[in-house]
Amino acid sequence: MNEFKPLVFSGVQPTGNLHLGNYLGAIRKFVALQENNDCIYCVVDLHSITAQLVHEDLKGQIRSIAAAFIASGIDPEKHIVFNQSAVPQHAELAWIFNCVARIGWMNRMTQFKDKAGKDRENASLGLLAYPSLMAADILVYRATHVPVGDDQKQHLELTRDIAQKFNIDFMEHIRRGGYGVDMVVGEEPVHAYFPPVEPLIGGATPRVMSLRDGTKKMSKSDPSDLSRVNLMDDAETISKKIRKAKTDPDALPSELDGLKGRPEAENLVGIYAALSDKTKEEVLGEFGGQQFSVFKPALVDLAVEVLSPITGEMRRLMGDTAHIDAILRDGGERARARAEKTMSEVREIIGFLQ
């Protein structure tokens, strides 16, 4: 092997209802990336038990994410769609990465600090160590690119650190096995088994904010359902939520600078831009000087036009769980074959008896 074969990997947790932020920030990117890339998309159900151990309907949530993938346009035949727990090699590699990673690295993860809060001693070990599992999710397929939001950039940097330490620590073993790729890290030549993963970040609205508070990210866990547009909402509910979205009394500006200090206005303009594949500047060129009483109905029409076909297909798929299960089972089998090839080589590199 002279170079790493390009491969895109990403996943979504099956916790709560998928919303507009998940669609614009992640799933729509997944759909676009599959046109020119080999892609693996995963429902990361092992991650879902780090923050909440007991779920009332985890199977239903897993199926819902898979349905959203497919309804949005991901092709499960050309690419791979599966649930993480169906491929035990994720957990196996995660244990190895737990031994590669340093405790200090994990303690620096800002998301752990945010989720654990002040009672860090009572947080689960899984919550602390889950970046190792995230690294394993990616590297068990030796993926080269990962579409991520800003909140996951630090975890992707950790994935690169884990890969680099493994490559350096086992470099001679990798070379003897004939598994690696010659590359340069900084100024140092390395014979690497795992690739330096690159983030794919971009789009008109990398972060979709709450409809009730433009300073907070749209979230499944927000107690107010009015804070988000869920992918399963019908047209009437979408209309109600957008019309009730918090705004300010001023008209929309004609220039981008006019959105500074107006988080709710910027959020709604960003959502319109993303849904219409336009820039914020183009949206302001169209609606600048107009009141929200004009802009909100236009945003409602656009959101319903884009989301209604997805919602309808999701409802159809969720009514045929056997079909979703068959897609996930097929994806799991294909994912396991790829993951086992990696793990067989990793076991040889480490020196385990197989």
Side-chain angles (χ1 to χ4, degrees), residues 304-354:
V304 169
E305 178 186 347
V306 173
L307 296 178
S308 286
I310 297 170
T311 302
E313 181 63 6
M314 281 184 68
R315 291 183 188 278
R316 188 190 71 78
L317 288 165
M318 289 299 289
D320 185 5
T321 57
H323 179 58
I324 295 178
D325 292 354
I327 288 171
L328 291 172
R329 192 160 48 246
D330 174 70
E333 289 172 0
R334 289 188 285 146
R336 273 196 303 278
R338 293 197 190 195
E340 179 52 29
K341 181 179 185 301
T342 298
M343 285 313 306
S344 178
E345 292 174 353
V346 167
R347 294 182 205 112
E348 285 296 326
I349 289 166
I350 292 174
F352 293 142
L353 191 63
Q354 296 191 78

Side-chain angles (χ1 to χ4, degrees), residues 281-319:
E281 290 87 346
E282 288 173 324
V283 175
L284 294 177
E286 183 179 350
F287 290 98
Q290 300 196 52
Q291 298 292 330
F292 283 102
S293 58
V294 175
F295 181 68
K296 281 185 175 180
L299 179 55
V300 167
D301 291 344
L302 177 61
V304 169
E305 178 186 347
V306 173
L307 296 178
S308 286
I310 297 170
T311 302
E313 181 63 6
M314 281 184 68
R315 291 183 188 278
R316 188 190 71 78
L317 288 165
M318 289 299 289

